[in-house]
């Protein structure tokens, strides 16, 4: 996979690598991007990607399911949100340290506020327990939902 360090000369940019598992999503991704995608990034090269960030070859990573937890052992520091949810979706370098963060919480909270919906003192039902659910639960707790009910098939 070819990565552009700075596609806009003169600007600081963040290179993103989407980590994709072999699943139905992979199949859809392959069909959509087969002409430009040379390889899939798997769990086996997580350490190499982290080394590339430390060497300055990559500016950072955007991590997707199912690697939001698997990448944690390769990081030096977790933000409070990443530590709380044990879920990382953004990796960056600061003062030589790989920093894992969870921006899903702020993103969910922003979306709810954007539609002017207030979850304060409300009972919230979450259907499914996918990769982003710990982040949604954390956001709902911050937003003072009175009760969070999780329903899952398995």
């Amino acid at each position: 996979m070819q990565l552009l360090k700075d596609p806009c000369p003169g600007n600081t940019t963040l290179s993103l690598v989407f980590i994709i598992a072999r699943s139905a999503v992979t199949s859809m991704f392959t069909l959509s991007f087969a002409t430009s995608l040379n390889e899939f990034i798997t769990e086996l090269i997580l350490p190499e990607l982290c080394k590339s960030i430390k060497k300055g070859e990559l500016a950072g990573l955007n991590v997707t399911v199912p690697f939001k937890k698997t990448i944690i052992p390769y990081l030096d520091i977790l933000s409070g949100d990443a530590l709380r949810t044990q879920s990382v979706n953004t990796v960056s370098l600061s003062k030589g340290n790989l920093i894992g963060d969870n921006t899903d919480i702020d993103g969910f909270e922003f979306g709810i506020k954007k539609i002017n919906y207030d979850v304060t003192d409300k009972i919230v039902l979450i259907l499914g327990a996918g990769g982003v659910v710990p982040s949604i639960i954390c956001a709902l707790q911050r937003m003072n939902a009175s009760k969070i009910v999780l329903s899952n098939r398995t």
Side-chain angles (χ1 to χ4, degrees):
M1 178 179 296
Q2 186 176 4
L3 302 171
L4 299 175
K5 287 186 183 175
D6 193 352
C8 304
N11 294 324
T12 302
T13 61
L14 174 66
S15 298
L16 298 179
V17 175
F18 296 93
I19 299 174
I20 300 167
R22 299 234 176 243
S23 65
V25 172
T26 304
S27 300
M28 292 185 307
F29 193 87
T30 303
L31 290 173
S32 300
F33 299 100
T35 57
S36 61
L37 187 66
N38 297 324
E39 64 185 81
F40 286 108
I41 297 171
T42 66
E43 184 178 338
L44 298 175
I45 66 167
L46 287 177
E48 296 306 314
L49 289 170
C50 290
K51 286 177 192 171
S52 292
I53 295 172
K54 283 203 170 196
K55 289 192 238 172
E57 296 169 350
L58 289 174
L61 296 173
N62 177 347
V63 183
T64 61
V65 169
F67 302 113
K68 290 182 175 196
K69 293 186 184 310
T70 330
I71 196 159
I72 291 173
Y74 305 108
L75 306 176
D76 301 313
I77 299 171
L78 295 180
S79 70
D81 287 340
L83 190 60
R84 208 169 359 275
T85 59
Q86 286 298 292
S87 179
V88 169
N89 72 338
T90 305
V91 178
S92 60
L93 187 67
S94 177
K95 299 178 183 173
N97 291 306
L98 287 175
I99 311 293
D101 195 12
N102 182 325
T103 61
D104 291 331
I105 298 165
D106 290 337
F108 178 80
E109 194 171 339
F110 175 80
I112 295 297
K113 288 179 180 177
K114 182 107 173 132
I115 62 170
N116 295 316
Y117 190 77
D118 185 5
V119 300
T120 303
D121 298 325
K122 294 205 172 51
I123 298 171
V124 178
L125 171 64
I126 300 174
L127 298 174
V132 77
V133 169
S135 304
I136 291 172
I137 291 170
C138 188
L140 289 168
Q141 288 170 335
R142 272 194 205 167
M143 299 167 71
N144 298 312
S146 66
K147 185 175 182 179
I148 302 165
V149 178
L150 181 62
S151 178
N152 192 30
R153 291 184 293 186
T154 57

